[in-house]
Amino acid sequence: MASISGKTAIDWAAFAAEIAPVEVIDEPVLVRKRSRDFFWYSPILDRRLKTCFGDLVARPKSPAEMAKCLSLAARHHVPVTLRGGGTGNYGQSVPMDGGLIIDTTAMGEVLEIGRDFVRVEAGCNILKLNTALKERGRELPVFPSTQDIATIGGFISGGSAGIGTVSHGMLRDAGNILEIRVLSAEETPREVVFTGEEINMIHHAWGINGVITELTLRTVPTEDWIGCIATFDSYPTCYAAGMALAASDIRRKLCSTLDARIGSYFDRLKEIVPEERAMLVTLVPRGQMEDFRRLVATHGGQIDLAMDEDERLARKLPHAFEFSYNHTTLQALKTDRKVTYLQILCPAPLNVAKIIELQAVLGDDVYMHHEFSRMGGQLVAFDLPLVRYTTDERLYQIMSLYEAHGCPASDPHSCIIEEGGMKKADYRHLAWKKRLDPLGLLNSAKSREWARVRTMAPEAIEALHQT
Ligand SMILES: Cc1cc2nc3c(=O)[nH]c(=O)nc-3n(C[C@H](O)[C@H](O)[C@H](O)COP(=O)(O)OP(=O)(O)OC[C@H]3O[C@@H](n4cnc5c(N)ncnc54)[C@H](O)[C@@H]3O)c2cc1C
């Protein structure tokens, strides 16, 4: 069987036979489909990744089958890319070196629901997980707006924040992730368990340094959520209301503000949200709707949509959170493929004056979108502005403008882990890669730094973390 990626010299038919009884997918069209994620959000990543494919997909159903895949990959020195729902948006699960794609979605059991925790297999779909928790009056403190498709392992490996971060902090904040179980990529895979602060050795490492098989996560009480959209006559007023909501006693699960021009892309809201009004998108407990109404009125706004789950289903509307986080960009891309986005941090202390200052310098091609969030206990806002794309140079110029005004940019147009959010190598991740993936099989093309440190001892790599 010829290599689909054109990058490997393996006899893939023999490999597929040897991996039995693990289910495999070798149909080139399907392998190519499972080689993609949402990298096409970025015109730069689209150019770079659209011709990167894997060679074979394996779908293990248990940790033992997962271990078999890893053992065989190690024996044949085959590059491996883990894939959950494939909703990452920096090409995180694109197999840049070709090789074996391990689809985790058949390892999707909810193993144990405790009083305030859940133990779950990494390939579990997040909607399935939240539905099981809801039956016990619980839910995840933080989940992505892609919950219908994404897996919990993909979120912990690729994500950082989401619906709930405004109340419960970043995924990495203490207590959200309680335990991560990982298999090494070796001929005899070993299981290693990470707890406490150690979870950050694996969390957000993009599957470069170990294969997550099982997670124990905190849960919080669920609420009768009302999905709301309130509108305001200017973005600064809307942002002020968002700040007030995020700082209030209202137990909101989401607090997003969107420039009025973003709303004009939302076909599903055409009859609901008046034109040219900035939007505040939130989830508020039914019992606190009166407090929310007062907050909106105090800031001169109006509530245009307040729907519970039954009403949402009856009106066939998307979840309110599908107008937040990276779903905002997706909704816009449905009608205009010339838009893209950026990821900017507005650090604490937040103030409206900063927004007005930025609006004055950014230009008409940048439409602000803030996600109010708690990070290390502080209230911050992530700006995921929609940008009308013209050139790569203009994108990077916009990032520089934000940075010059005190708002650091992460580069969502790079598929290299050291160029994204962290902007520097996490040598703890790389030291654990050396320990758990000594052959460098796991998604290695995503790390620029790995090529430099791969021959060093793990302790020597870790020591670089202090420098
Ligand atoms: C419309 C849209 C909205 C989004 N909203 C959010 C959001 O609110 N918050 C957020 O943080 N992100 C968000 N994202 C990014 C992405 O959806 C999330 O990170 C998501 O949870 C990824 O889950 P997944 O199962 O699709 O992972 P995948 O895309 O399949 O994989 C993500 C990364 O994890 C690795 N991986 C997968 N499974 C494992 C495993 N078992 N062990 C080790 N590594 C593994 C992959 O190799 C890859 O590097 C959004 C993306 C889109 C397109």
Side-chain angles (χ1 to χ4, degrees):
M1 196 163 97
S3 159
I4 298 169
S5 69
K7 290 184 176 156
T8 52
I10 312 258
D11 178 346
W12 284 104
F15 189 94
E18 208 178 337
I19 211 169
V22 179
E23 180 191 341
V24 293
I25 300 167
D26 59 6
E27 176 61 47
V29 175
L30 299 179
V31 175
R32 286 200 186 97
K33 222 171 149 187
R34 280 184 169 75
S35 302
R36 294 176 63 82
D37 63 10
F38 282 70
F39 63 78
W40 51 269
Y41 265 35
S42 158
I44 298 173
L45 288 180
D46 197 44
R47 290 196 297 269
R48 183 166 180 184
L49 297 178
K50 67 180 171 199
T51 52
C52 293
F53 304 114
D55 293 291
L56 186 77
V57 179
R59 249 186 120 237
K61 292 187 179 59
S62 64
E65 286 200 357
M66 177 66 89
K68 176 153 194 180
C69 297
L70 296 170
S71 171
L72 209 58
R75 196 175 319 147
H76 294 282
H77 286 226
V78 167
V80 174
T81 309
L82 271 297
R83 179 184 179 85
T87 63
N89 43 289
Y90 324 121
Q92 289 147 303
S93 58
V94 174
M96 287 172 75
D97 291 327
L100 183 67
I101 297 168
I102 304 184
D103 174 332
T104 64
T105 54
M107 284 177 64
E109 291 305 309
V110 179
L111 301 170
E112 181 187 358
I113 299 181
R115 201 175 53 84
D116 54 5
F117 72 90
V118 62
R119 203 160 57 81
V120 61
E121 285 190 311
C124 185
N125 168 259
I126 300 176
L127 174 62
K128 172 180 163 180
L129 176 55
N130 261 336
T131 305
L133 289 173
K134 200 157 180 87
E135 284 167 14
R136 306 281 191 93
R138 312 291 296 177
E139 64 184 30
L140 291 175
V142 182
F143 61 89
S145 61
T146 46
Q147 69 155 359
D148 291 10
I149 309 173
T151 62
I152 194 65
F155 184 43
I156 299 302
S157 182
S160 54
I163 323 307
T165 290
V166 64
S167 296
H168 305 293
M170 307 290 286
L171 276 177
R172 69 166 178 266
D173 283 338
N176 283 333
I177 305 172
L178 300 172
E179 183 182 286
I180 306 183
R181 275 177 193 264
V182 169
L183 277 179
S184 64
E186 295 171 290
E187 272 205 67
T188 308
R190 287 169 294 133
E191 184 180 75
V192 182
V193 180
F194 294 83
T195 56
E197 169 55 21
E198 299 276 295
I199 58 122
N200 288 316
M201 305 300 125
I202 298 294
H203 164 49
H204 209 59
W206 296 14
I208 66 166
N209 67 358
V211 176
I212 303 172
T213 53
E214 192 185 303
L215 292 152
T216 306
L217 305 167
R218 177 163 84 105
T219 64
V220 294
T222 190
E223 301 269 5
D224 183 4
W225 295 115
I226 308 294
C228 301
I229 297 180
T231 60
F232 300 82
D233 60 9
S234 79
Y235 191 69
T237 325
C238 183
Y239 185 88
M243 263 172 57
L245 176 61
S248 75
D249 292 335
I250 298 174
R251 295 184 303 280
R252 66 266 158 285
K253 187 94 182 182
L254 175 71
C255 184
S256 324
T257 53
L258 312 179
D259 182 296
R261 291 166 294 181
I262 299 180
S264 68
Y265 287 111
F266 298 165
D267 278 352
R268 302 301 307 280
L269 298 180
K270 281 269 184 293
E271 309 294 312
I272 298 168
V273 173
E275 280 177 25
E276 293 175 26
R277 307 260 305 163
M279 291 165 58
L280 168 64
V281 182
T282 181
L283 291 172
V284 172
R286 187 187 292 280
Q288 291 191 303
M289 276 303 289
E290 269 321 302
D291 297 337
F292 178 60
R293 282 184 211 288
R294 262 196 303 278
L295 184 145
V296 171
T298 305
H299 288 83
Q302 64 190 47
I303 296 180
D304 294 306
L305 181 68
M307 56 176 180
D308 63 15
E309 190 58 7
D310 290 342
E311 183 181 348
R312 184 185 79 76
L313 292 170
R315 293 173 72 179
K316 296 191 172 65
L317 285 172
H319 287 283
F321 60 71
E322 288 177 40
F323 299 99
S324 75
Y325 280 89
N326 277 323
H327 257 91
T328 308
T329 320
L330 184 62
Q331 304 285 7
L333 280 163
K334 283 180 188 165
T335 51
D336 183 357
R337 292 300 287 262
K338 288 300 269 182
V339 293
T340 186
Y341 75 119
L342 293 172
Q343 286 186 183
I344 312 290
L345 170 68
C346 289
L350 299 180
N351 61 73
V352 180
K354 176 61 73 183
I355 299 306
I356 297 168
E357 173 189 322
L358 283 164
Q359 278 186 323
V361 294
L362 282 173
D364 285 343
D365 49 353
V366 186
Y367 309 162
M368 285 186 189
H369 157 204
H370 289 91
E371 294 294 340
F372 291 88
S373 304
R374 284 207 155 57
M375 189 162 72
Q378 286 192 312
L379 182 62
V380 301
F382 295 111
D383 189 359
L384 306 175
L386 211 62
V387 177
R388 280 210 324 270
Y389 175 76
T390 45
T391 61
D392 297 357
E393 291 69 28
R394 174 61 186 150
L395 268 187
Y396 285 97
Q397 185 192 40
I398 298 166
M399 285 190 236
S400 303
L401 279 169
Y402 270 110
E403 298 214 317
H405 287 261
C407 298
S410 318
D411 184 359
H413 301 280
S414 170
C415 56
I416 301 300
I417 193 163
E418 291 91 2
E419 291 172 6
M422 293 189 286
K423 283 219 192 113
K424 57 183 172 72
D426 188 325
Y427 291 105
R428 299 165 315 167
H429 284 170
L430 293 169
W432 276 100
K433 181 170 176 67
K434 186 65 195 259
R435 291 185 185 108
L436 297 176
D437 178 26
L439 299 171
L441 304 178
L442 297 175
N443 215 6
S444 297
K446 304 294 161 52
S447 169
R448 184 182 4 88
E449 222 24 36
W450 172 245
R452 200 172 72 84
V453 301
R454 63 181 304 161
T455 54
M456 293 165 63
E459 296 68 29
I461 303 175
E462 218 151 41
L464 295 171
H465 192 68
Q466 322 304 334
T467 59

